[in-house]
Every structure is written in C-alpha cells, then in structure tokens.
Amino acid sequence: MRQRNFLVFFSASLAVIGVGIASRVMGQSATNAPAPMNWTAEQDHQNMMEQLGIKSLRPGADARPGSPHYQNTNEAKANPYPNLPDPLRLNNGEKVTSPAMWWNQRRPEIVEEFDREMYGRVPKNVPKVTWDVTAVVRTNNGAIPVITKELVGQVDNTECPAITVNIQLTLTTPAEAPGPVPVMLEFGFPPFLQRRINRLEGTNRPSRFGMYRYGPDWRQLVLSNGWGYAVIVPVSYQADNGAGLTRGIIGLCNKGQPRKPDDWGALRAWAWGASRALDYFETDPAVDARQVGIEGLSRYGKAALVTMAYDPRFAIALIGSSGEGGAKLSRRNFGELVENLAASGEYHWMAGNFLKYAGPLTPGDLPVDAHELIALCAPRPVFISYGATWGKPGAEGPWLDQHGSFMAVVAAGPVYRLLGKRDLGTPGNYLTDPMPPLNTTLDSGDLAWRQHDGGHTDAPNWPAFLKWADRYIHGPMPPR
Ligand code: GCU
C-alpha cells in the first residue's frame, strides 16, 4: 500500500529527528540533577503498564492483508459499541438544555475526561516561552511579495538545564497587506522533509508515497485570499516517539523523569506549542490574532483537532485525515484501533491512562469519544477532511476509517445546534446518515466535511475549505 509506505517513511524520519534531539540534550546534563531517563519506547511503555497494573494489552489491527490481525473492513461489523456517550447529558444523568449548562457544567466534565483518560493534562508548571525572531526574509511566493519571519520559542529550562526545548516556527505574511492579516497555522514537517514532500507533490502525478498534487499550493491559495500562513514544527519541542517522553516539553516539566498516567502525551504537547505560537501572533502587528486557524494532516490532524478543542482562541480548523485518536470514533472496529494507539509505537501521543482501554477495559468503556472532541470546538467552525477510501492508486486505505469520522461529525451536531450554530446538514442519525459521494463538500453548516480522491494529503481540499472559511475569516484586503 503506497499510503502505508509514506506513513512508514514519515514515522521513521520523525524517529530519526527525535533521536537527534535527544542526543543533543543528553550531553548537557546538569551536574547535580539526575540525568534525564534514557529509556527506549518499549521500556517507557512497560513502565506505564506497571504504573497502571496492566499485565498485557490486546493486539492492534494490522493493515497487511493475510495478517491474523488484519483490520476489519466490513461495515456490518464496524459498530460493536453503537451507543455513544451523550454530549448533552451530565454525568449525573441530567439533560443539558441551555448554552449556560453546556459551558458551566457539561463542557468542563468532558474536558476533565479527555484530560484524564485520553490526551493527558498540561502540567501547571509549564515554563515560560520567549519568542525571538531569528531572521526576516523578503521574497515572493508565486506573484505575491511576502515577508517571512523565522522564529524560535525558547522554553525556560532553569529548573532542568539538562533539557533544552526550542520551538521552531515560521510566519509568512503578504508584504503589501494594509493591516493585520488572518493566518493559517500548520503543524508541519522540518524544512528538509517539507522540501522533499514539495518536490514529490509538485510532480502532478501519483508519487512513490501515494500523493498527488492538485492545483496550487495551499500557501499560495491562502496568500491570494489576503491571509498569511505559518508552520510550526511539532518535533522541535516534543519527539514523535516514546523514548522522547523524558525529554522535550513533556520531559522538561517532569525534569527528565517518566510520565504519570494522567500526564500529557505528544498530541497535547504539540497542541500546547500551537497555543504558544498564537501567544506570539498576539504580539505581532502583522497578524490579526482573532482570526488564526489551525491545520494538520494525519497525526498532525489529530494534533490540530486537539488544539482547536482546547484553545478557544483558534478561530477555525481544517482537520486532515486524522483517523484514530483524532476525529474518528474510538468505539469503531474499522481500520486502526484503540489497541494500535495503546501499543509502544503510538502510545506516546496519548495519556498513559489510555492504555487501560486496550486491556483490561474496552473502547466501549471510554467515558468520551471523538464526537465530543469535535463538540469542544463548538461554536467555532471545523472542516473535517479525508482523501478517499481505498480502490485508487494513492488513495487512503480503510486504516483511517473515514466513515467513523463522518459519524463523529454528525454526532457533534447537537452541541452546535444548542449553541445556535448549524450542524453538518444531514438528517442527524450517526448510525444511518449516508456519507456524501467523493469530492462533494458538505458546507452548509458550521461543521463541514469533504472526502477528495487524491490520497493522503489535504491539498485537494484546501480550495473547498477556503471557500467555506470565507464566511468566517476576512482579510484586510479584497482577495485577488
Ligand atoms: C500511522 C498511524 C495513524 C497516523 C499516521 C500518520 O498510520 O497508524 O494513526 O495518523 O500514521 O500520522 O501518518
């Protein structure tokens, strides 16, 4: 499967980066503080199992045909837990009937459950970030003159000098903007990997990694709307592997020691970094910080949804191919499973407590599910994007469970309606609402959906997203 090849390459590249970051900081251990723990992901994972008193976990699904654990792709077997937690019912059983009840009672309950059981808590002692503009480059992107600022967010590490954390960020705004501009912030790849992806995507044909290039680059589309764009590099402040959990921003807060079961995982840490970028935008006169959107693909699509759910300052979101742990219902049995996220290759995205749901508990025991993560974004506009089911070269496989995400968007609708907003515009039954055909945008509401046929990328959905986003976000100059 081409898509799997890309994902393997992507994961491997990030692992290399993570190791690079780890070995840089290891040389700087403070003399009188214990050195950061130097475990493998497997050792850290085992430690978390011991903290939780778990002896074994159920195996995850496998995307390789012929495997004894081959993923389920049969829709008839996909809903072993068809009942979802009701986002509009308090834990004491009372129905939520007003926006005030949502904001003051139900929403905090849902946040607490996501914090404790799924994504983990951001510690109270996260050190301060100081942003420095390290370079300002005037150039053109296509025909549009732009100013690009390279930034580093230095995290105060006086409490644990052995761990250095620097957030990498670039911000590009139109040079001739008559005022502060809206900005789309992307969770992106380190520049060397991004250059490679640009080259592959620029070929206008299916690449080795199963991606197509459709139309102009998203950055140019955003610029021609009169907006700016920014890219934050998540692995610059939290490695994409379990071995890195005692380093990066998570490790810094724990002074290099292992996580507790409700400590934050990488998704929550990546989202924290996006919020720190937004802190910077609030100080930059080139940016209209009330109109900043967040976007990411795949694991970064998960991070983008977590960002939007937790930080109400983000105005709009494009959530790309996020799958399990993102916009997809964890209660589904289709493609990737909770058990995959709980295994040593991916558990670092989540809180340690999440492991419990892969043994002894089941996904049906989760107190929350993806529809409630989407509901936490309400009333702000969210566009959920995918790149087609299997059957075409380069198309996304069943692994991502596009239908499970569609169901979650439908099931988030009641919260949007309670807050006076529009749902997806389908009949509203998550079990029976049909998904629209490929390349058809559902954009009549404040929740939007589109599945293109161009593979594991957001590229073909950017124009549809921007058309819809135009209803909410307004630049200081008319679009070109
Ligand atoms: C793997 C993983 C997915 C993830 C994807 C990616 O396929 O199982 O959950 O979204 O990698 O981020 O590339």
Side-chain angles (χ1 to χ4, degrees):
M1 287 171 74
R2 290 164 195 277
Q3 174 225 343
R4 298 294 303 160
N5 290 344
F6 169 67
L7 299 182
V8 168
F9 160 77
F10 174 28
S11 311
S13 311
L14 296 188
V16 168
I17 297 159
V19 169
I21 292 170
S23 52
R24 264 207 320 275
V25 297
M26 264 158 50
Q28 308 169 2
S29 292
T31 42
N32 47 6
M37 197 65 89
N38 200 14
W39 276 340
T40 62
E42 286 70 24
Q43 287 168 326
D44 183 84
H45 186 255
Q46 182 57 36
N47 170 273
M48 185 52 72
M49 302 246 301
E50 283 159 19
Q51 288 191 53
L52 295 166
I54 297 178
K55 295 266 174 310
S56 67
L57 298 175
R58 293 183 299 278
D62 194 334
R64 286 168 303 184
S67 156
H69 300 294
Y70 185 62
Q71 60 190 339
N72 177 46
T73 60
N74 177 356
E75 189 54 48
K77 297 187 183 154
N79 296 309
Y81 311 104
N83 300 324
L84 303 181
D86 184 346
L88 292 181
R89 196 169 287 281
L90 297 178
N91 288 342
N92 69 11
E94 212 182 315
K95 188 88 190 126
V96 176
T97 51
S98 68
M101 276 181 88
W102 167 256
W103 291 115
N104 302 331
Q105 292 174 266
R106 183 57 178 147
R107 194 178 189 282
E109 282 182 353
I110 296 176
V111 167
E112 165 60 21
E113 285 162 348
F114 275 118
D115 273 0
R116 197 182 61 236
E117 304 296 315
M118 283 193 75
Y119 300 109
R121 300 181 198 282
V122 175
K124 295 205 171 55
N125 67 340
V126 187
K128 206 170 154 307
V129 176
T130 308
W131 285 102
D132 284 320
V133 180
T134 52
V136 180
V137 184
R138 283 180 169 271
T139 167
N140 273 23
N141 189 340
I144 303 182
V146 293
I147 300 174
T148 294
K149 291 179 185 137
E150 289 174 19
L151 292 127
V152 173
Q154 221 181 6
V155 187
D156 179 355
N157 68 345
T158 43
E159 293 287 313
C160 184
I163 298 175
T164 303
V165 183
N166 289 318
I167 308 174
Q168 285 173 24
L169 173 71
T170 56
L171 167 67
T172 301
T173 50
E176 290 159 13
V181 296
V183 164
M184 281 303 297
L185 172 63
E186 171 169 87
F187 283 111
F189 302 100
F192 82 90
L193 200 54
Q194 186 61 56
R195 276 195 294 276
R196 195 153 175 211
I197 290 169
N198 288 351
R199 273 204 304 278
L200 290 164
E201 286 197 323
T203 53
N204 264 323
R205 59 188 163 77
S207 75
R208 214 149 59 83
F209 301 120
M211 294 185 296
Y212 294 77
R213 159 80 182 238
Y214 276 67
D217 182 272
W218 72 273
R219 300 164 195 82
Q220 293 182 357
L221 288 173
V222 161
L223 286 175
S224 50
N225 255 21
W227 309 359
Y229 59 85
V231 178
I232 187 165
V233 180
V235 294
S236 64
Y237 52 100
Q238 188 58 51
D240 192 7
N241 53 58
L245 286 170
T246 50
R247 297 187 174 74
I249 188 63
I250 297 176
L252 179 60
C253 294
N254 285 334
K255 301 201 172 63
Q257 300 310 301
R259 294 188 301 169
K260 298 280 173 291
D262 65 347
D263 276 355
W264 49 345
L267 293 176
R268 196 77 205 279
W270 291 339
W272 166 86
S275 293
R276 301 296 69 78
L278 184 46
D279 295 346
Y280 165 77
F281 298 149
E282 287 176 342
T283 67
D284 188 325
V287 179
D288 178 352
R290 290 159 314 162
Q291 300 199 85
V292 173
I294 183 81
E295 182 261 348
L297 175 77
S298 216
R299 65 200 62 194
Y300 296 158
K302 309 181 209 293
L305 185 55
V306 173
T307 304
M308 184 72 173
Y310 275 97
D311 190 336
R313 295 175 299 164
F314 283 92
I316 197 164
L318 171 55
I319 309 301
S321 305
S322 58
E324 185 62 51
K328 173 226 160 146
L329 293 173
S330 290
R331 278 170 173 67
R332 294 263 297 172
N333 172 22
F334 197 99
E336 189 172 24
L337 302 173
V338 162
E339 285 79 355
N340 294 87
L341 250 65
S344 62
E346 297 182 352
Y347 77 106
H348 61 277
W349 292 339
M350 313 299 287
N353 269 332
F354 189 72
L355 268 60
K356 295 184 300 191
Y357 299 93
L361 302 176
T362 71
D365 295 315
L366 276 164
V368 277
D369 212 326
H371 61 306
E372 291 170 305
L373 190 64
I374 300 170
L376 291 184
C377 306
R380 293 161 297 145
V382 177
F383 189 114
I384 305 287
S385 158
Y386 279 90
T389 48
W390 59 103
K392 282 190 72 162
E396 282 175 351
W399 190 242
L400 295 183
D401 187 14
Q402 296 83 355
H403 188 210
S405 273
F406 180 77
M407 292 168 73
V409 185
V410 172
V415 177
Y416 274 75
R417 289 200 302 275
L418 179 78
L419 301 182
K421 296 291 173 178
R422 285 158 303 175
D423 61 17
L424 200 52
T426 59
N429 182 333
Y430 61 86
L431 286 170
T432 55
D433 280 8
M435 278 206 288
L438 292 182
N439 300 321
T440 306
T441 318
L442 290 186
D443 61 358
S444 66
D446 301 294
L447 288 168
W449 166 271
R450 188 171 195 268
Q451 205 183 167
H452 62 72
D453 64 354
H456 195 53
T457 165
D458 283 352
N461 274 354
W462 268 100
F465 165 75
L466 288 172
K467 181 164 166 269
W468 170 80
D470 227 34
R471 294 214 294 263
Y472 307 97
I473 307 290
H474 305 286
M477 54 189 178
R480 290 184 177 222

